[in-house]
């Protein structure tokens, strides 16, 4: 892989990450069509996703700040309640406990944490499958077909109106499971999580926020795992430079594209994206046999 190819893959990542069309599927298709030999490929893909993570954090910076604040407050409230329990037992007093979920943002933060658990477990279980699927065109083609079907049926379900306080933790687990399978190339993380949210009755605007904010712990976890597991013998100075270049290209492109793309995703029916996924799926499958 050349530096120009790394740069172009970063741009593709920055554009496709925010549409429900599978950025990882597009990366694998391009790498296979143009014969790019990327070692380690999964690490490079994760670094590109980390680039678009910058765009997500900037676009949802007020949500991110509030969620972090609520997490810190939750930790303190748990500590306060433990101390209160000890005090009440020792002094035989009736000091009041603090509510652990006093508002929508606190509930939203807990839902994101709950969703991240099955994502992490499934991602670990499918780790080897992801590496195998990343070296051929058939796997992303099948993944894009699955994404297209899910997007197509999503428009036929009635619009939900659930907000965080009305969403159960079981629903959060279901959404996390959907996101877990999105580690496979061709299955759009944004697409399947938004569809899962809509099928569970979430408000469309809230579903999109949920999907993009849920990517933050998923990508951070993936980056940490890939760095820990990285074999120094597989990594060269050239690969480090290309990873940095791809990261910057994905981050800059994502920052320019995310707000425009979020508006399109919110307003346009998902059938349009499903048609595109079907087209790319057929192209990938045909090329997998032709090549």
């Amino acid at each position: 892989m050349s530096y120009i190819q790394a740069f172009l893959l970063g741009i593709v990542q920055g554009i496709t990450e925010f549409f429900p069309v599978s950025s990882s599927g597009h990366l694998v298709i391009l790498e296979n069509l143009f014969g790019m030999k990327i070692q380690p490929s999964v690490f490079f893909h994760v670094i590109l996703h980390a680039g678009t993570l910058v765009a997500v954090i900037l676009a949802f910076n007020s949500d991110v700040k509030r969620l972090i604040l609520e997490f810190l407050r939750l930790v303190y409230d748990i500590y306060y309640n433990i101390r209160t329990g000890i005090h009440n037992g020792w002094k035989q007093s009736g000091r009041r406990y603090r509510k652990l979920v006093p508002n929508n943002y606190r509930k939203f933060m807990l839902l994101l944490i709950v969703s991240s658990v099955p994502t992490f477990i499934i991602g670990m279980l499918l780790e080897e499958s992801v590496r195998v699927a990343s070296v051929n065109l058939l796997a992303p083609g099948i993944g894009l077909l699955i994404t297209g079907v899910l997007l197509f049926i999503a428009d036929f379900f009635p619009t939900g109106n659930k907000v965080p306080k009305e969403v159960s933790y079981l629903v959060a687990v279901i959404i996390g499971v959907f996101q877990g399978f999105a580690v496979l190339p061709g299955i759009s993380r944004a697409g399947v999580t938004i569809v899962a949210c809509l099928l569970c009755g979430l408000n469309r605007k809230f579903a999109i926020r949920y999907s993009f904010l849920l990517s933050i712990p998923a990508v951070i976890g993936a980056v940490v795992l890939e760095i820990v597991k990285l074999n120094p013998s597989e990594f060269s100075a050239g690969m480090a430079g290309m990873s940095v270049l791809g990261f910057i290209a994905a981050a800059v492109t994502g920052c320019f594209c995310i707000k425009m793309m979020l508006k399109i995703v919110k307003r346009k029916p998902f059938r349009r994206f499903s048609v595109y996924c079907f087209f790319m799926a057929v192209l990938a499958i045909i090329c997998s046999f032709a090549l």
Side-chain angles (χ1 to χ4, degrees), residues 200-222:
C200 291
L202 274 65
N203 172 279
R204 188 177 178 112
K205 184 177 179 181
F206 174 46
I208 293 170
R209 283 174 62 218
Y210 197 122
S211 172
F212 281 99
L213 289 169
L214 185 57
S215 71
I216 295 176
V219 173
I220 291 175

Side-chain angles (χ1 to χ4, degrees), residues 142-154:
I142 294 172
L144 283 164
L145 276 178
I146 295 172
T147 299
V149 171
L150 290 173
L151 292 174
F152 186 79
I153 65 175

Side-chain angles (χ1 to χ4, degrees), residues 180-236:
F181 285 104
V183 298
L184 296 169
I187 299 181
S188 167
R189 192 210 62 81
V192 298
T193 51
I194 291 173
V195 168
C197 289
L198 295 177
L199 297 184
C200 291
L202 274 65
N203 172 279
R204 188 177 178 112
K205 184 177 179 181
F206 174 46
I208 293 170
R209 283 174 62 218
Y210 197 122
S211 172
F212 281 99
L213 289 169
L214 185 57
S215 71
I216 295 176
V219 173
I220 291 175
V223 169
V224 172
L225 284 175
E226 286 301 315
I227 290 176
V228 169
K229 294 182 297 185
L230 186 63
N231 186 347
S233 64
E234 294 182 330
F235 204 67
S236 63

Side-chain angles (χ1 to χ4, degrees), residues 83-142:
R83 193 177 65 178
T84 298
I86 296 172
H87 176 271
N88 289 347
W90 183 261
K91 300 289 186 178
Q92 296 296 312
S93 64
R95 182 185 293 178
R96 297 183 64 181
Y97 294 93
R98 292 186 176 180
K99 287 186 66 175
L100 295 182
V101 190
N103 55 58
N104 263 338
Y105 261 102
R106 181 77 60 87
K107 178 68 178 293
F108 189 15
M109 180 269 298
L110 290 171
L111 291 171
L112 292 173
I113 292 175
V114 172
S115 290
S116 299
V117 173
T119 294
F120 176 80
I121 294 172
I122 294 172
M124 292 290 289
L125 294 175
L126 295 179
E127 179 183 5
E128 188 57 35
S129 299
V130 173
R131 297 185 189 279
V132 173
S134 297
V135 297
N136 66 82
L137 285 167
L138 184 60
I142 294 172

